[in-house]
Each structure stands twice: as C-alpha cells, then as structure tokens.
Amino acid sequence: MDNDNRRASRRTEVLSNHLLPRPHTTTTLLSPSNCLSYSPPELSSSNPVSFDTSVMRSLLDGHNLDDRDWLFGLIVQSPLFNRQERGGRVFVSVDYNHTMEQQREETMRRIGYLLDRGVFRGWLTGDGPQEELRKLALHEVISMYDHSLAVKIGVHIFLWGGAVKFLGTKRHHDKWLRATENYELKGCFAMTELGHGSNVRGVETVTTYDSRSGEFVINTPCESAQKYWIGGAANHATHTIVFSQLYINGGNQGVHAFICPIRDSSGNVCPNIRIAECGHKIGLNGVDNGRIWFDNVRIPRENLLNSVADVSPRGEYLSSIKNVDQRFAAFLAPLTSGRVTIASSAVYISKIGLSIAIRYALTRRAFSMTPNGPEVLLLDYPSHQQRLLPLLAKIYAMSFAGLELKMMYVNRTPESNKEIHIVSSAYKATFTWNNMRTLQECREACGGQGVKSENRIGPFKGEFDVHSTFEGDNNVLMQQISKALLGEYIVCQTKKQPFRGLGLEHMNNPVPVLPSQLRSSILRSSEFQLDLFHLRERDLLGRFVAEVSQYQAQGESKESAFNLVSPLPCFVNYSFIDSLPYSLYVLPELSSCRGLGQSFLRTSNTENLHRGGVEGASWFIEGCLGSVEVVICLDFCG
Amino acid sequence: MDNDNRRASRRTEVLSNHLLPRPHTTTTLLSPSNCLSYSPPELSSSNPVSFDTSVMRSLLDGHNLDDRDWLFGLIVQSPLFNRQERGGRVFVSVDYNHTMEQQREETMRRIGYLLDRGVFRGWLTGDGPQEELRKLALHEVISMYDHSLAVKIGVHIFLWGGAVKFLGTKRHHDKWLRATENYELKGCFAMTELGHGSNVRGVETVTTYDSRSGEFVINTPCESAQKYWIGGAANHATHTIVFSQLYINGGNQGVHAFICPIRDSSGNVCPNIRIAECGHKIGLNGVDNGRIWFDNVRIPRENLLNSVADVSPRGEYLSSIKNVDQRFAAFLAPLTSGRVTIASSAVYISKIGLSIAIRYALTRRAFSMTPNGPEVLLLDYPSHQQRLLPLLAKIYAMSFAGLELKMMYVNRTPESNKEIHIVSSAYKATFTWNNMRTLQECREACGGQGVKSENRIGPFKGEFDVHSTFEGDNNVLMQQISKALLGEYIVCQTKKQPFRGLGLEHMNNPVPVLPSQLRSSILRSSEFQLDLFHLRERDLLGRFVAEVSQYQAQGESKESAFNLVSPLPCFVNYSFIDSLPYSLYVLPELSSCRGLGQSFLRTSNTENLHRGGVEGASWFIEGCLGSVEVVICLDFCG
C-alpha cells in the first residue's frame, strides 16, 4: 500500500515545501492529476466477452435461476422497493433513514405486493425437493434485497407455518397451512422468554388443562417468563405458537407447543393478552419484535400441536409413538431449515459486499507509482489484493458448500438427519462469522464510502450481525460439532470400528504423505488438496481428543473437561468436492510460503478481473496462495 | 460453554421425551426454575467495600476528574440528552430511532447547551498542557455520550479552529479564534475531495490570485474535485477551510489553505457556492457531512492562512522561514491531535462495551451444571470468561498507554514530534481495531440484547467503525510505523550507531534470556515482562527487515519491496511501563500454555468481579494467562 503509505509524508512534504528553501520546491511545479471520472470495470475491459458470466452465475446460484430472475424482476418493477435509475442502471434498496415504525409498515406493504404475485405459492402446501428449492431460491433473493423482509416472511412461514406443519396434525394443517400461505392470518413463534433463550427446556410459561371446559389455560407466572424477541408480535401478528410447560393433574409433562390467537382480524389485542415493544435495533428494524404476557388465556384443547403427544378430552396425557427416528427428524426439521437459510443468505451477502468493494477498487485510483505518473487502481496494489481476494476466493468455496448443504437438506432422510444437523450447524456458524469478517474488510477497503448507507456494505453489517447469535449461537454450534466429532472418534477408536459419516471416512485410510516439491501442477490436483484437508482434520481432531482426555486424567468429569477445551476451530465437509467442476484448496501449511504467494500476486493481471468482474475466479488461485486459508480455482475455463 | 452446548440436545431431549417410552420421562417431572429477576452485581457482592473503585477510577481517567464529573453532571441534568430514570439510576443516550435530520438538529441543540455552560472555554484561546488536558478530558466525556456530538464539535474546534490557529497568523487569530470558541460562526474543514482522500497532494481544486482586485479565486474544475465528506457543510457551517492548489502567474505552488465563507448568518448558501448532501450513514448521523462546489468564488487576499507562505498584494509568492522544526511541528500538530483523541475515545468505548457485557454476564443465568440445580451465571462458564476477560485485561493496558500518549502530546517539543507522530499513529490504529473487535465480542456475548440499540454496544459498532479509516487509514498508519522502524533499524545498523527513540533503545542491549521455569513470581516481575516485549520486537523487526532485503536482492526497488511485505503486526511503546503502579504483560509465548491458563481459569472466583465490577483487575491476570496477548495486573491492592 505504497500509495497510502505516502499519505502523511506527502502531506508533510507539501507543507514543508513552503518551509524549506530547497531549489526543487521553487522550480518544480506540481501539476494536478487529470480530472477523474467514474468508469465501470467492464468499460475498461480489454475483452469483455472472453469470460462467460452466465456460466459462472448458473454454477453459483445452482438452481431455480428463472424463478430468481422472475422475483428480481418483480422487485425492480415496483416503487415499493425504492427503485432508482442511475446511469442507465436500476438500483433498489431500503431507505435506512426511515424510522423503525416506517420500516415495519414498508415491510408489510412489500409482503403484500409479493403475495399478490404468487411468490409464496406452495411454500407450505407444496412438498418435495423441487418445491423446497424454489422456496429457498426465492427466499435468498428476498434476503439480498432486505434482511427484514426475509426474516418477517421467515417467521410467518418457516417458524409459525413450519411448526404447524411439523408439530401439528391434519386438523391443524387443514385449518392453517393454506391460510398462512395466503396471509389470511399472521403468525409468530413464541419460544424465547426474557429469562430463557438458549435453555428452552427452562421456559417458565405454564399451561394447564381444564377438563370441565375442555380448554388449555396459558399463563405467564412472572416477569422473566414474558415471551421476548417475538418477531411479528409488536404490531402485526394475529396468532402465535406458544412454547410452554404443560401440567396435567399437577404433573409437568415438559415443553409443548400450542396455537393461541393474540389479535383479532382488525388488529385489536385479545383479552388477557398483554403485548409490548422490544424497541429499536441495529438492524432488522422492519421486523416488529415484541414481548407477550399471557394472563390465564383459555384456548380449545384442539390447539395443542399434537403430532407427538396429545391430551384427551378427559385430560389424559397420551404419547403415541410410531417410527421414532422419523418423528424425531420431523421435530428437528423446522429448526434445521433456519440454519440452512441463514448459512445460504450469509454467503449471498458476502458476495454483494465483495462485488461492491472489488468494483470500487477497480475504478478508484489513488497515487501514482512513478513521479507525475497516472494514478493507480486500488486493486493494483498488492496489499489491497491481499485484503480482498482471499475473501473472494473463500466465498466461492462457501457458495458451493452452501449449495451442497441445500441439496442435502431437501433430499433429507431419517438416516441423514444427524449429518445434516452437524453440517448445517457448522456452515451456519462458519459462514455467518465469515460474512461479518468479510463485510468489515470490504467496508474498510472502501474507506469512507463503506459507511455510507446507500453503498449497502455498512448497513449489511448491522442487518446481519444477529446471524451469529440467533437460530443457535455460533459458539454453541461449534461446540456441538466438536462434541459430535469427539463422540464419533471415541466410539470408533474404542470399538475398533471404521468411521462412517460426518466426513470422517478418510480417517480409515493411512495418513496421506505430501510431496516434498509443491509445484503448481501438484497444488492444482484435487488429490493433493484432499490430502491437505485430511491431514488438517486428523491433526485438529487428534489434538482436541488429547486435550479432553488430559483433563479427564486430571480428574475432571467428561463434561467439565469438554468445557475446558476450546472447540475445534473449524469443521470442513468436503463430500461435495467431487460433485462440482471445481477443486477446493485448504492450505494452512502454505500461509508461510509468502514468497510463493507474493510472486503470484506480483504477476497477477487485474485485466482478468476487469473481464470477469468478481467472477474472475480462475485468477484467484494465483492471487491467494500466499496468505489464504481457502482458495478456489474454477477450471471450466480451460 | 456447557450450558449453551446442551441447547439443541436438551431441546431434542424434551421433544424425544414424548417419543421415547423411557420410564424417567413419564415418572420424572420437570420443575421450572424459580422465577428470575434482575439483580445488579454489587447487590450479590460478598464484600462491596473491599475494592476501592475511586482509586481505580483516578488511575484510569488519570487527569481532570473534577472537570469530567462536572460535565457528566451537566449532561445528566438536561432533558436534551434523553435523561431516563430506572431503578433509581439515571441513564442518558441518543435516540437512534430518530432520522438523520432529527439527529443533526439534536446535536446542534446539545452543543448550544454545552456552550452556554462554558464547556468550550479556552479550547482555542487557552494554551499550555493544563488547558489541553482539560479539553481532552471534556471531549472524552462528550464522546462517551455520543460520537456525533464529539465529532461535530471536533470538526469546528479541532479542525477549523486548529487550522486557523496553527496555519494562520495574528490577523486570523484575532478575528476567528474567540469567535469560534463562542460559536459566533460555524467552521468546517474542506480538505477531502471525491477523487482524492488519502492523496491530499492531488486535490484538484484550483485557486488563482487576481492582483487587480487583490482577491483569490477558488474554483472546482470538475466533478471529482468536489469537496466530499465535509462535516458541517450540509446544514450548519458558515465558513470553511479550503485546501486547494495555488497558482501564481500560471505556476502551481502546491496545496494551500484558505478561509472561505459558505453561508451567511441566516444560513443562506453564499453566491457561487453549491452544497449537497452526503446522505445517511451507519453512524454519525448527527453530523451533517456534505459536498461543496466552488464556482470561481472570490475571497480577500487576507484569507490565505499565511503562517508558512504568503502572497503579496502585487501577487508575489513569499515563503518566510524562521525555525523550520517549530513551523513543521506546528503544521503536524492539528493532524496529530485527531489521532490522539481517536485513540483515547476508542479505549473509553471499549470500556463501556466491556462493562455492559460483563455486568450482563454477572446477572444473566443459563442452565444448571447439575441436574435440577440452580442456573449458573454466564461468567462462571470458562468459555465466557475466555471471551471477555482477555479483552478486559487488554483495555486496561491500552487505557494506560493512551494516557501516556496524551501526556507525550500535551508536553510535545519540536524534538518529540517524530516519536509522537509514530506513537499516535500506532495507538490510533491498534486501539480502534481493538475497539471494533471488542465491541463485536461484547455484542455476541450479550446475545440478542447486544443488538438492541438502548443497550449501546450495537450502536457503538456503527458509530465508531469509521475510526479505522478516517484521520489516517489504519492499514496506512501501520505501514508508516513499519517504515519508520525499518529506517531507524537500517540507519543504526549501517552507521553502527546506537538506537535512539521510538522505544528501540533496548536493541542496544544484549538479547534477553528467559528463565526456563515460568513460575508465577517470574511472570509477575516487570523485568521478565520487559524481556518478553524486547524479544518480541527484536524478532518482528528482524524478520521484517529480512523480508524487505530479500525482495531487494531479487531486484525489487526499495519501494516495491516494502510494498510486498506485510507491515509489522504490532507496535508496542513501553516507555510508560515504569511510569505507573502497574505492570504490563505481553505473552504471545504463553498462549500455548493452555494448561496453565486453564488451571487459573478454573480456580477463578467471580466474587472478585462482583466486588470490583469491571475494575477487578487484580483478578484478571489469573483469568487470562492462557489465551491472551496482553494481560495486566494492578498491584496496588496488595
């Protein structure tokens, strides 16, 4: 960053020129640079057609391209989405200078517009992988426009609707699913309480059964039992799912889910329900998070979501059990879908941030490398390449990984649920943390423009920050993964049985041996890349197991020993590596090979970037070897 | 994080209890936890008076405690600062649900209130270390309330006023300094342009001199020459400093600074001036950043800030030179002060974030460690301690370092300016990056509460993000430091002369040898700690120099070689170590001693934290050895 590096010294020089009677300061006259003007990268491209971005786009989006384009078209057509034309291009974005109250109403109006055009058709009444992929694709497009819009819709359809669908039975499906899809009602999901977020088992809301009237009575016994952060509750929701302890004849049967109306159709809060505001947030102000208190609210017996347990009219507690695994999977499914959509949208947001930062670096010039020479593009500075290109390469890898996760999810079976739970947890945590890190680097790489709301990167940081703690706190998820891998490792070691699942099958093979000479051809071979993955995971897992057992040897309980060891830094699932026409590199060993990476950097040619915009992936393997954890190379060009 | 770790498995268990006919699920009845209620840490303190927080406070604030309390009092008394009483405590904070336009007017009203009470008295007309320390202390208090308020005042007094004071002469001082202090006018500082931010030397605004009328003519020749990000320009400023190329008889004399009116006293924009809006930002919306175009605006010859160069009525360019060093220092001073105040306020904001997150962790309970046991405080979980306490320890160190920097600054001499420039750059970059990292961890450690605006941590992330790129881009500053250390190193090596300044004197001594046994008494000895500092810096600097010369050996120019090597990761100035009653540890070597750190963690007693709140520093050395870069221990307790 020699350009910036000269900043203060040049300013100093300018000033000291006045002070110091050096001959050159009086004779040499500065000439201001030619007037700068914006020119988009593609205009300065030497060969605009040599890179087929449509091929790349279909590889990256992976599915339902026409559905995505259709929805993009709907958004761009409507004034509700703040359409603006500049330089022959159309831009849409939320106006973050509006108050929380304004943003909430705008969000509802946008939902109405999308509803009228059939966007949500089949999101609950449809079934099968194709319907699910369409829903996921459209939801991704929505989250690229605005996180509030995506979350407001997600709460109503994925959480409320999903709970009705997966925890309810026919009587609930018939009554609620299509009505939800058509927004005849507005649902929310009251699980979290002020006193209990992660610890759902400890919720303090109490529901009892009154056999005389055949009703359940829901009550909030104390302040910490108030439902908190309930999206939709503050302004719009008419119904909610209530998670509550169920008492039958004085005995607590644990947490159950009930359907409870909270507002009438004209928006008046129902009797014995109290609702308050959660207030302004750093993002998601288009979502009306609220607090709910229940004062012995009575609901019909039929409102218990009874796919797994029921209460008879006379008040007997009944738990019917058929295929345990399937029922179990059905319970986890609605929770898993949240992690899948979060992981996927985090990748899309990183892509937008990187596109903006890299296009800016390809148009913004600063300083000349030679005296009185022309000013240089930011991206021509090695330090700027090192800041952005590894993150770009990484997001390619995560994009394909997220695609693979979606396919695992929509094709889930009872047998695959455990692996999906682990992989979705790992990707949700890894991708959302990476998203925040990526957005921060992009923000700083754009200088002051990065904090300007209309440039999107800055607001994304506030909008998507919540990703790292909702739908499973990232730190918690990483520990779950560590525990699952630890358990698998110990079972297989003690029982001397081969590893199966969780991507650990490679542990059954002999330890890979790396070639001593790392030539480019070797670096590009997927066999070598896989060996690196495998060595890395063997090492991480081995050290983790050793640390835990060390504490146990010191007399710690297994739980306590696990507590005292930091979770595995990373989880890599590479079952998808061979399933796509690209190869994935994880090269921690190479991060020290600065010379190698640097020489690549120095020979890099930003014209390639001009050509492909952010899609110039075949270039990034060159740009990133020196300093990056994950580098990707798309080989379909050659 | 065993508590959170059980999250999904417990939820699963609750659900599967319905599915699995295990005897315990039907016989064991869950009992909900006792109703939770908030209790501030001090209430649960075993011994509230055993830790004298006033001693700690005076150590941390360091100077002008009474002035700070006086200003805190003014803020808390006025409804302009959104005073709220809750539980017998008074809270003040900005309402971030207000629009940009509202926040700007609220900021001006708050300035008026502070002005009427004499807060700004002497900020420009006063001189000497005591006046400067008072100004710095009061500005720190203001930035703790609201960054917009601090920046809006800083632009008017430190940038506009500072430029008049340091770049102008008596005619400017007499006319503007007291008027500025009294807000008879409102100043802004037009240096940055759309096309040129870091590269100030390349600004495209052009000023010529008309000897017939005795006026300067300021012109914006093209779009990229528009002044951009000018704080105060969009709504309130009446005058600006314009940085412009100065042409005399067709010759460019380089960048000079001029005073130019832009609005009359009733707020109407002056003729030939065009002003536009920079728009909504992710923070600082109480500051009206704007864009300015000059259409051959004429100003009197006397408006050239002429402390270093002047133009005679007949149009001769005159550069008067007396003591070069002092004039040079005078030029740098106003720019340095910005880095000093930014470094200092970043530390205060990290302190607030950590106070909130740690107090929350000392009142929020989640999960029990034993079946049906009471729920446990978040901070009693080792993983939560590891997330927050190293950051707390680090901010103690940075707090004292920032204090030392302020003392260096207010006692500056022409000789000390280079060191102050380097140290202020290093602390500005290091502390502001650390602030963002600290706030992010605090935000995540508070879960959803961390994104709620009234809890402050979330908004701080948006408000102070700009710290890392304004007043010197952090990446640039770190490279300046590397270059300065590199230069010093090479000069001393080649000339075989001893190191002097920049904290490198220790390089004149033999390489320190560390004891093989690291007992606690050794870890606590400042001699050992200094040895670690010195070894670390020797290693970093040695490797840096080696890499640069390696590239030069490959034929790279010195500039290019420097470009290709990442800057030094960290700069540590420890001249202040012996100047305060504490000892500072930098223990990268120890980060691998997990066992050591962990065993400390496990024996840690959060009661100590209850006692001291966030000031329980004497405890943190116990808590942090395992995983932290900087650990501090205050020994005045024992």
Side-chain angles (χ1 to χ4, degrees), chain B residues 189-379:
Chain B
F189 188 80
M191 176 182 272
T192 296
E193 296 176 357
L194 178 59
H196 289 86
S198 296
N199 184 7
V200 175
R201 189 178 190 167
V203 295
E204 298 171 293
T205 302
V206 170
T207 298
T208 53
Y209 180 66
D210 179 347
S211 54
R212 290 161 311 172
S213 64
E215 295 172 311
F216 287 109
V217 183
I218 306 174
N219 193 46
T220 302
C222 56
E223 277 310 291
S224 59
Q226 67 181 269
K227 294 297 181 179
Y228 205 95
W229 289 127
I230 312 309
N235 295 125
H236 299 128
T238 60
H239 294 69
T240 188
I241 306 288
V242 185
F243 286 83
S244 161
Q245 306 288 346
L246 170 61
Y247 280 78
I248 298 292
N249 306 323
N252 184 352
Q253 299 294 346
V255 175
H256 289 59
F258 304 85
I259 289 178
C260 182
I262 58 175
R263 284 189 180 85
D264 63 26
S265 53
S266 38
N268 307 309
V269 175
C270 297
N272 298 12
I273 300 273
R274 186 155 55 90
I275 291 180
E277 175 61 61
C278 284
H280 188 268
K281 310 182 290 294
I282 62 171
L284 285 180
N285 283 306
V287 177
D288 52 320
N289 293 94
R291 308 151 66 181
I292 312 177
W293 293 258
F294 301 86
D295 179 8
N296 293 304
V297 176
R298 291 180 165 262
I299 56 171
R301 186 183 64 91
E302 293 71 19
N303 284 19
L304 168 66
L305 291 175
N306 63 333
S307 73
V308 292
D310 207 347
V311 172
S312 74
R314 285 186 300 150
E316 302 153 296
Y317 183 74
L318 312 165
S319 186
S320 62
I321 297 138
K322 294 193 183 61
N323 181 320
V324 175
D325 290 336
Q326 285 174 13
R327 306 291 285 281
F328 189 67
F331 267 112
L332 290 188
L335 304 168
T336 306
S337 72
R339 284 194 284 274
V340 173
T341 53
I342 289 170
S344 184
S345 71
V347 169
Y348 273 101
I349 298 306
S350 296
K351 287 177 184 173
I352 297 174
L354 283 162
S355 311
I356 293 169
I358 290 172
R359 289 179 69 89
Y360 182 71
L362 287 168
T363 56
R364 172 75 173 188
R365 296 176 179 275
F367 296 100
S368 55
M369 299 295 269
T370 56
N372 300 324
E375 291 186 304
V376 180
L377 287 172
L378 291 188
L379 202 61

Side-chain angles (χ1 to χ4, degrees), chain B residues 436-504:
Chain B
M436 292 307 290
R437 188 188 147 217
T438 299
L439 292 173
Q440 188 63 35
E441 194 61 56
C442 291
R443 151 24 217 153
E444 294 181 29
C446 292
Q449 293 292 345
V451 302
K452 196 168 167 175
S453 297
E454 74 174 352
N455 294 332
R456 306 205 69 188
I457 294 173
F460 280 159
K461 293 191 329 108
E463 286 292 318
F464 290 90
D465 193 353
V466 69
H467 266 184
S468 57
T469 52
F470 76 2
E471 289 295 308
D473 179 282
N474 283 0
N475 288 288
V476 182
L477 294 176
M478 293 311 279
Q479 283 185 309
Q480 284 183 24
I481 297 151
S482 304
K483 205 164 216 172
L485 292 176
L486 176 69
E488 183 76 7
Y489 186 93
I490 289 171
V491 167
C492 295
Q493 291 291 315
T494 47
K495 294 189 180 177
K496 300 259 182 304
Q497 71 189 36
F499 289 92
R500 287 178 51 250
L502 303 184
L504 291 177

Side-chain angles (χ1 to χ4, degrees), chain A residues 34-46:
Chain A
N34 295 334
C35 191
L36 303 171
S37 62
Y38 174 81
S39 107
E42 51 273 27
L43 292 191
S44 50
S45 165
S46 57

Side-chain angles (χ1 to χ4, degrees), chain A residues 245-260:
Chain A
Q245 307 287 347
L246 170 61
Y247 281 78
I248 297 292
N249 305 322
N252 184 351
Q253 298 294 346
V255 175
H256 288 58
F258 305 85
I259 289 177
C260 181

Side-chain angles (χ1 to χ4, degrees), chain A residues 577-593:
Chain A
I577 280 194
D578 303 321
S579 70
L580 284 164
Y582 69 89
S583 45
L584 184 67
Y585 301 62
V586 173
L587 301 176
E589 292 78 357
L590 276 186
S591 32
S592 54
C593 305

Side-chain angles (χ1 to χ4, degrees), chain B residues 387-407:
Chain B
R387 288 170 67 185
L388 293 179
L389 302 189
L391 293 172
L392 177 61
K394 198 167 185 170
I395 210 62
Y396 273 97
M398 291 184 171
S399 177
F400 291 113
L403 199 53
E404 179 70 12
L405 170 61
K406 280 189 285 179
M407 296 307 165

